Amino acid sequence: MTSKTRRAAACVIIFCTLLSGCSGMNESSADAPVRASSEVQDEVEKVSSSILEILSLRAKTTEAGAMISPCEEGTFRAHHPWGVYGPPAEKLEEAMGRLRSQLPKEGWKIVKDGPDDSQGRSPQIVADSADGKFSVDARFHGKQSDAPAQLEVTVQSACFRPEAESTS
Protein backbone atom coordinates (compact mmCIF):
# COMPACT_ATOMS: atom_id res chain seq x y z
CA MET A 1 0.00 0.00 0.00
CA THR A 2 1.45 3.37 -1.00
CA SER A 3 1.59 6.36 1.32
CA LYS A 4 -1.00 8.12 -0.88
CA THR A 5 -3.36 5.16 -0.49
CA ARG A 6 -2.80 5.15 3.28
CA ARG A 7 -3.49 8.88 3.51
CA ALA A 8 -6.65 8.49 1.43
CA ALA A 9 -7.80 5.65 3.70
CA ALA A 10 -7.09 7.79 6.77
CA CYS A 11 -9.14 10.64 5.28
CA VAL A 12 -12.06 8.28 4.67
CA ILE A 13 -11.85 7.05 8.27
CA ILE A 14 -11.80 10.61 9.61
CA PHE A 15 -14.72 11.61 7.39
CA CYS A 16 -16.79 8.62 8.52
CA THR A 17 -15.93 9.35 12.16
CA LEU A 18 -17.00 12.95 11.72
CA LEU A 19 -20.28 11.97 10.12
CA SER A 20 -21.10 9.45 12.83
CA GLY A 21 -19.76 11.59 15.67
CA CYS A 22 -17.31 10.79 18.40
CA SER A 23 -18.28 8.75 21.45
CA GLY A 24 -21.93 9.58 21.79
CA MET A 25 -21.81 13.37 21.75
CA ASN A 26 -24.94 13.56 19.60
CA GLU A 27 -27.93 15.28 21.13
CA SER A 28 -31.44 15.23 19.72
CA SER A 29 -31.94 18.18 17.41
CA ALA A 30 -34.54 19.64 19.81
CA ASP A 31 -32.02 19.63 22.69
CA ALA A 32 -29.12 21.06 20.69
CA PRO A 33 -28.26 24.63 21.77
CA VAL A 34 -28.62 27.53 19.35
CA ARG A 35 -25.16 28.89 18.57
CA ALA A 36 -23.42 31.04 16.00
CA SER A 37 -21.41 28.77 13.68
CA SER A 38 -18.40 31.11 13.75
CA GLU A 39 -18.39 31.09 17.56
CA VAL A 40 -18.37 27.28 17.66
CA GLN A 41 -15.59 27.15 15.04
CA ASP A 42 -13.49 29.56 17.14
CA GLU A 43 -14.02 27.44 20.26
CA VAL A 44 -13.01 24.25 18.43
CA GLU A 45 -9.83 25.94 17.20
CA LYS A 46 -9.03 27.06 20.77
CA VAL A 47 -9.48 23.47 21.98
CA SER A 48 -7.16 22.33 19.15
CA SER A 49 -4.56 24.83 20.36
CA SER A 50 -4.79 23.44 23.89
CA ILE A 51 -4.29 19.90 22.53
CA LEU A 52 -1.24 21.09 20.59
CA GLU A 53 0.16 22.58 23.82
CA ILE A 54 -0.27 19.23 25.58
CA LEU A 55 1.57 17.48 22.73
CA SER A 56 4.49 19.85 23.41
CA LEU A 57 6.30 19.18 20.14
CA ARG A 58 8.52 21.23 17.89
CA ALA A 59 6.85 20.08 14.70
CA LYS A 60 5.10 21.12 11.53
CA THR A 61 1.31 21.24 11.60
CA THR A 62 -1.23 21.22 8.82
CA GLU A 63 -2.98 24.53 8.29
CA ALA A 64 -6.68 23.65 7.89
CA GLY A 65 -9.15 25.60 10.01
CA ALA A 66 -12.34 24.41 11.67
CA MET A 67 -15.25 23.56 9.38
CA ILE A 68 -18.98 23.08 9.84
CA SER A 69 -20.60 19.76 8.91
CA PRO A 70 -24.07 18.24 9.33
CA CYS A 71 -24.80 16.40 12.56
CA GLU A 72 -28.42 15.27 12.85
CA GLU A 73 -31.37 16.71 10.98
CA GLY A 74 -31.26 20.49 11.34
CA THR A 75 -28.12 20.50 13.48
CA PHE A 76 -24.44 20.97 12.79
CA ARG A 77 -21.06 20.56 14.45
CA ALA A 78 -17.70 22.19 14.01
CA HIS A 79 -14.73 19.94 13.41
CA HIS A 80 -11.06 20.72 13.08
CA PRO A 81 -8.88 18.00 11.53
CA TRP A 82 -5.15 18.69 11.65
CA GLY A 83 -1.89 16.83 11.79
CA VAL A 84 1.58 17.05 13.31
CA TYR A 85 4.59 15.77 11.42
CA GLY A 86 8.34 16.16 11.23
CA PRO A 87 9.73 14.70 14.46
CA PRO A 88 10.84 11.06 14.59
CA ALA A 89 8.24 8.43 15.45
CA GLU A 90 9.62 8.11 19.00
CA LYS A 91 8.91 11.80 19.73
CA LEU A 92 5.38 11.49 18.34
CA GLU A 93 4.79 8.38 20.48
CA GLU A 94 5.95 10.34 23.54
CA ALA A 95 3.50 13.10 22.61
CA MET A 96 0.66 10.53 22.54
CA GLY A 97 1.77 9.49 26.01
CA ARG A 98 1.49 13.10 27.16
CA LEU A 99 -2.05 13.24 25.80
CA ARG A 100 -2.88 10.03 27.65
CA SER A 101 -1.60 11.41 30.97
CA GLN A 102 -2.55 15.10 30.63
CA LEU A 103 -6.06 14.97 29.16
CA PRO A 104 -7.63 13.61 32.40
CA LYS A 105 -5.74 16.27 34.40
CA GLU A 106 -7.28 18.91 32.12
CA GLY A 107 -10.81 17.60 32.71
CA TRP A 108 -11.14 15.25 29.73
CA LYS A 109 -12.51 11.71 29.97
CA ILE A 110 -10.67 9.18 27.81
CA VAL A 111 -13.33 6.96 26.24
CA LYS A 112 -10.99 4.95 23.98
CA ASP A 113 -7.30 4.20 24.23
CA GLY A 114 -6.18 1.46 21.90
CA PRO A 115 -5.80 0.50 18.25
CA ASP A 116 -8.16 2.06 15.71
CA ASP A 117 -10.15 0.01 13.19
CA SER A 118 -7.77 0.65 10.29
CA GLN A 119 -5.75 -2.11 8.68
CA GLY A 120 -2.64 -0.69 10.36
CA ARG A 121 -4.31 -0.76 13.82
CA SER A 122 -2.90 2.69 14.61
CA PRO A 123 -2.85 3.75 18.28
CA GLN A 124 -5.86 5.97 18.98
CA ILE A 125 -7.03 8.09 21.92
CA VAL A 126 -10.58 9.46 21.96
CA ALA A 127 -11.60 11.79 24.78
CA ASP A 128 -14.61 13.94 25.67
CA SER A 129 -14.45 17.24 27.52
CA ALA A 130 -15.95 17.31 31.01
CA ASP A 131 -18.73 19.64 29.88
CA GLY A 132 -19.61 17.36 26.94
CA LYS A 133 -19.13 20.15 24.40
CA PHE A 134 -16.03 18.76 22.65
CA SER A 135 -14.37 15.53 21.62
CA VAL A 136 -10.82 14.86 20.46
CA ASP A 137 -9.63 11.91 18.37
CA ALA A 138 -5.84 11.49 18.12
CA ARG A 139 -4.14 8.77 16.08
CA PHE A 140 -0.46 7.95 15.75
CA HIS A 141 0.75 6.75 12.37
CA GLY A 142 4.34 5.65 12.73
CA LYS A 143 4.56 1.96 12.04
CA GLN A 144 4.62 2.22 8.24
CA SER A 145 8.17 2.09 6.91
CA ASP A 146 7.57 4.06 3.69
CA ALA A 147 5.47 6.90 5.16
CA PRO A 148 6.68 9.59 7.55
CA ALA A 149 5.41 9.34 11.11
CA GLN A 150 2.58 11.69 12.02
CA LEU A 151 -0.09 12.43 14.59
CA GLU A 152 -3.55 12.97 13.17
CA VAL A 153 -5.93 14.93 15.42
CA THR A 154 -9.58 15.88 15.02
CA VAL A 155 -11.37 18.10 17.51
CA GLN A 156 -15.12 18.47 17.15
CA SER A 157 -17.99 20.14 18.93
CA ALA A 158 -21.26 18.72 20.10
CA CYS A 159 -24.23 19.29 17.78
CA PHE A 160 -25.81 22.73 17.71
CA ARG A 161 -28.59 24.53 15.89
CA PRO A 162 -27.47 27.57 13.92
CA GLU A 163 -28.82 30.98 14.82
CA ALA A 164 -31.71 32.09 12.63
CA GLU A 165 -30.64 34.50 9.93
CA SER A 166 -32.17 37.91 10.30
CA THR A 167 -34.27 39.21 7.44
CA SER A 168 -33.78 42.92 6.94
Side-chain angles (χ1 to χ4, degrees):
M1 185 182 277
T2 68
S3 62
K4 278 187 177 182
T5 305
R6 265 194 283 280
R7 284 190 193 120
C11 288
V12 168
I13 291 167
I14 289 173
F15 183 72
C16 292
T17 300
L18 291 171
L19 286 179
S20 65
C22 287
S23 64
M25 282 184 26
N26 294 330
E27 301 175 12
S28 74
S29 59
D31 294 336
V34 174
R35 308 275 314 276
S37 296
S38 59
E39 179 182 294
V40 179
Q41 284 175 287
D42 289 345
E43 289 176 4
V44 165
E45 288 179 1
K46 285 179 186 174
V47 171
S48 284
S49 293
S50 70
I51 299 299
L52 186 57
E53 285 179 27
I54 292 171
L55 292 174
S56 186
L57 285 168
R58 288 181 182 252
K60 298 173 185 169
T61 58
T62 57
E63 296 294 326
M67 301 169 272
I68 300 295
S69 62
C71 196
E72 293 180 0
E73 187 175 327
T75 63
F76 299 86
R77 73 176 67 218
H79 67 277
H80 186 208
W82 50 279
V84 177
Y85 61 99
E90 300 79 34
K91 294 290 183 191
L92 295 172
E93 270 185 305
E94 290 170 9
M96 281 289 277
R98 282 190 290 280
L99 268 184
R100 185 175 291 109
S101 66
Q102 294 298 314
L103 283 173
K105 293 177 184 176
E106 299 290 328
W108 291 80
K109 178 182 179 188
I110 294 178
V111 295
K112 179 177 182 184
D113 186 357
D116 67 10
D117 295 332
S118 70
Q119 184 177 12
R121 311 282 294 156
S122 297
Q124 176 185 29
I125 296 172
V126 178
D128 294 336
S129 63
D131 61 9
K133 292 182 179 180
F134 302 98
S135 183
V136 62
D137 180 337
R139 298 170 195 232
F140 170 62
H141 303 287
K143 305 293 187 222
Q144 301 85 9
S145 60
D146 62 336
Q150 65 177 346
L151 283 179
E152 179 183 295
V153 180
T154 300
V155 175
Q156 70 179 19
S157 72
C159 299
F160 66 94
R161 290 179 291 139
E163 292 180 328
E165 292 184 25
S166 61
T167 55
S168 306

